[in-house]
Amino acid sequence: MKRLIIKLSAFTLVMLLLTGTMATAFAEEQTLTVNDAGTLKVGDKVKFTLNLSETKEDIIGFEMRLFYDNEYLQYQKNSLKADKFDTLYFNQDIVGKIPMNWTDIGNPASFATKGEFFSCDFVVQKPGETKISYFITELYGDDMTYLKSYKFTYDLSVNDKKIVSDAVLPITDDQETLQTRQSTFINYVDGMGEENTPNKDNHESVVGKQPSTIQVIETQVVEATRYEAVNNGGSNGNNIVLIVVVIALVVVAGVTAAVVLFRKKGQKNDNPEE
């Protein structure tokens, strides 16, 4: 009888260990790892926050794109907040990326100390591994040249509890962006500027191809027609004005080119030898 009890106890212990192992394995299968840093569960509502600090001058304008994989993370529409930028324009209708830009000469934004650049919410769709990344095209201050001192970091929070704090956000490998959105601003892998980085001897950058003026105009027209305002800005009126201005610039450029061609043709016709 004693042996039977011992055997039953051993069997029960083994089953409990197996059950615990299987439960742990199942739980791991239902988790999503973001940027090799944060572990989330399917169904979690996660808040992504991009932070900026260590700037030596106030910002009066920027243009950037945030990237995510909609298969794993579903962006929650109208969740994007940017308290320091009253007239931020962004497009939240493009699956997988959120382009945004802001310019306000009269109300520069200071990030000398750490501040929230913007935040937005996602819901975890499926387990696995994914990443959130970004690419900055412009970031400039009063002198209209790109900032050389800055530090970008990001946080991930679930139910107001941070699971990732002050981590470095990856630079995108999106080829369309690298081929068409490169400007004078340089994106560095450590998220810091060339003047304040501790990695001056080995400051790794991600530099795309600088596009032609025509490519830039075409891309801006496509994205500008889909931009929306944030922070209760007048989106419809501002969007219409922006669209009209861009189209007008393109039309003026075309008319100017046509006038130059006609003048050259006229000069040839006035030449007796022609």
Side-chain angles (χ1 to χ4, degrees):
M1 186 67 179
K2 187 176 181 180
R3 289 183 178 180
L4 179 60
I5 293 174
I6 293 174
K7 288 181 179 179
L8 287 174
S9 299
F11 177 77
T12 302
L13 180 60
V14 170
M15 292 303 296
L16 287 173
L17 290 173
L18 288 174
T19 302
T21 302
M22 292 175 64
T24 302
F26 178 78
E28 290 177 352
E29 289 178 356
Q30 296 301 306
T31 59
L32 174 68
T33 303
V34 179
N35 295 346
D36 296 325
T39 301
L40 306 166
K41 293 183 292 186
V42 174
D44 277 349
K45 184 177 181 180
V46 55
K47 179 181 180 181
F48 168 86
T49 303
L50 184 67
N51 307 302
L52 178 60
S53 62
E54 299 186 18
T55 60
K56 294 181 179 179
E57 55 186 298
D58 293 346
I59 297 172
I60 64 170
F62 74 88
E63 178 183 341
M64 69 169 292
R65 290 176 171 184
L66 182 73
F67 295 86
Y68 62 94
D69 190 336
N70 189 66
E71 184 179 355
Y72 295 93
L73 293 169
Q74 184 181 69
Y75 169 72
Q76 300 301 285
K77 202 164 186 179
N78 301 322
S79 67
L80 195 149
K81 306 296 181 184
D83 292 338
K84 289 203 175 188
F85 308 117
D86 289 336
T87 54
L88 174 68
Y89 286 90
F90 69 103
N91 186 347
Q92 58 183 350
D93 294 323
I94 306 176
V95 176
K97 73 176 177 181
I98 306 176
M100 62 188 79
N101 65 35
W102 171 83
T103 300
D104 192 339
I105 298 176
N107 296 286
S110 175
F111 289 94
T113 58
K114 180 182 174 181
E116 181 178 307
F117 203 71
F118 74 88
S119 66
C120 59
D121 297 335
F122 298 92
V123 172
V124 179
Q125 298 298 295
K126 59 183 288 188
E129 295 183 1
T130 190
K131 71 176 182 177
I132 301 174
S133 60
Y134 75 136
F135 188 88
I136 297 175
T137 298
E138 299 284 0
L139 182 66
Y140 50 89
D142 289 334
D143 60 359
M144 299 302 290
T145 61
Y146 68 92
L147 264 65
K148 301 175 182 63
S149 176
Y150 60 87
K151 181 180 181 180
F152 279 105
T153 61
Y154 78 95
D155 303 330
L156 291 179
S157 302
V158 178
N159 298 324
D160 296 325
K161 180 181 179 181
K162 285 186 180 181
I163 60 172
V164 175
S165 182
D166 287 332
V168 178
L169 193 64
I171 307 298
T172 188
D173 56 4
D174 179 70
Q175 289 303 305
E176 184 271 333
T177 297
L178 294 176
Q179 293 298 316
T180 63
R181 308 309 294 177
Q182 181 63 52
S183 185
T184 52
F185 182 87
I186 305 299
N187 291 271
Y188 291 99
V189 174
D190 63 0
M192 302 180 72
E194 57 196 64
E195 289 185 352
N196 65 314
T197 179
N199 307 310
K200 293 183 183 295
D201 295 334
N202 185 25
H203 202 197
E204 185 180 354
S205 63
V206 177
V207 181
K209 175 184 177 182
Q210 289 195 343
S212 66
T213 303
I214 295 177
Q215 287 177 316
V216 172
I217 291 175
E218 289 177 346
T219 305
Q220 288 178 344
V221 168
V222 170
E223 288 196 343
T225 56
R226 297 181 294 189
Y227 271 130
E228 299 180 6
V230 72
N231 294 342
N232 300 320
S235 60
N236 292 334
N238 289 336
N239 285 343
I240 293 173
V241 172
L242 182 61
I243 295 168
V244 170
V245 170
V246 174
I247 293 175
L249 289 173
V250 175
V251 171
V252 169
V255 171
T256 303
V259 170
V260 172
L261 290 174
F262 278 119
R263 288 185 64 184
K264 287 185 176 180
K265 184 176 181 181
Q267 290 173 355
K268 288 185 177 181
N269 291 337
D270 291 339
N271 189 340
E273 295 183 0
E274 292 291 336

